[in-house]
Amino acid sequence: MMTMCPSCFELYSEIWSKPCCGCGYKTVSVSIDLIGLAKLLINRGFKLSYANCSTYDDESSIGKITQITIEFAVSYPEAMFTELPPDWTMYEFNRVKDNQIIEPKLTGLSCICEHLPNECDSDSIAFTKEITISNFEIWLEEKDPESCKAVLTLAGCM
């Protein structure tokens, strides 16, 4: 994981934990695989709080699972994420502080890729991740940045 400034896109290693960069913005945690996707989302006005991509052993079988999670600092209307690429879903979640649920609900996006036992080598996993992330980037690139910002402003999300 890295941290990235949502204003200037400067990257910091996770070892050097830095709450904000010279721009004065709080950095967000981003997996290396998702840096390009994170930039596309931010350029379109989305307030990103977290973007993670991790692969782990599937406990119910002998394969592996890659989970991609993107969480926002704002609640976005479901209409913003119509016709997501294959395997991507939108969800809502609440932050919790001191065992208390903090309102309002926030928005997240998730994708789970299952790797069968014969597709668990690093090249196969990397290829599947690349295709999955690329599909989302292509879907997002079709959205005009200024139009997205206008819609988010009209929806009260900016």
Side-chain angles (χ1 to χ4, degrees):
M1 289 285 282
M2 305 284 289
T3 58
M4 181 176 72
C5 173
S7 176
C8 70
F9 300 127
E10 187 163 343
L11 295 170
Y12 304 94
S13 69
E14 190 175 45
I15 296 169
W16 181 23
S17 178
K18 188 173 181 178
C20 60
C21 76
C23 297
Y25 287 86
K26 183 179 177 188
T27 58
V28 294
S29 293
V30 179
S31 291
I32 293 170
D33 297 323
L34 299 175
I35 291 171
L37 180 55
K39 288 178 181 180
L40 287 171
L41 286 164
I42 292 167
N43 281 333
R44 281 154 180 75
F46 291 97
K47 294 181 180 160
L48 190 67
S49 64
Y50 175 82
N52 184 43
C53 178
S54 57
T55 301
Y56 50 89
D57 290 333
D58 182 358
E59 300 206 7
S60 63
S61 71
I62 54 176
K64 293 190 179 224
I65 292 178
T66 296
Q67 182 170 7
I68 303 171
T69 306
I70 299 168
E71 292 186 346
F72 300 102
V74 175
S75 178
Y76 292 111
E78 192 173 335
M80 293 298 301
F81 303 104
T82 58
E83 300 178 13
L84 285 170
D87 301 321
W88 285 91
T89 59
M90 179 189 147
Y91 63 93
E92 292 182 324
F93 68 98
N94 286 96
R95 289 178 290 169
V96 176
K97 183 176 181 182
D98 299 327
N99 292 325
Q100 298 293 318
I101 295 174
I102 300 171
E103 293 289 337
K105 290 185 178 199
L106 303 176
T107 302
L109 299 172
S110 180
C111 180
I112 295 176
C113 303
E114 295 181 1
H115 310 285
L116 300 174
N118 61 338
E119 300 170 347
C120 289
D121 60 282
S122 59
D123 289 340
S124 295
I125 291 171
F127 181 72
T128 301
K129 287 193 314 189
E130 185 177 330
I131 294 295
T132 303
I133 294 166
S134 177
N135 284 342
F136 194 93
E137 288 173 341
I138 290 167
W139 176 83
L140 200 53
E141 286 170 345
E142 293 174 356
K143 315 280 185 230
D144 176 63
E146 295 309 312
S147 296
C148 280
K149 289 175 187 174
V151 170
L152 290 173
T153 300
L154 289 172
C157 301
M158 296 272 305

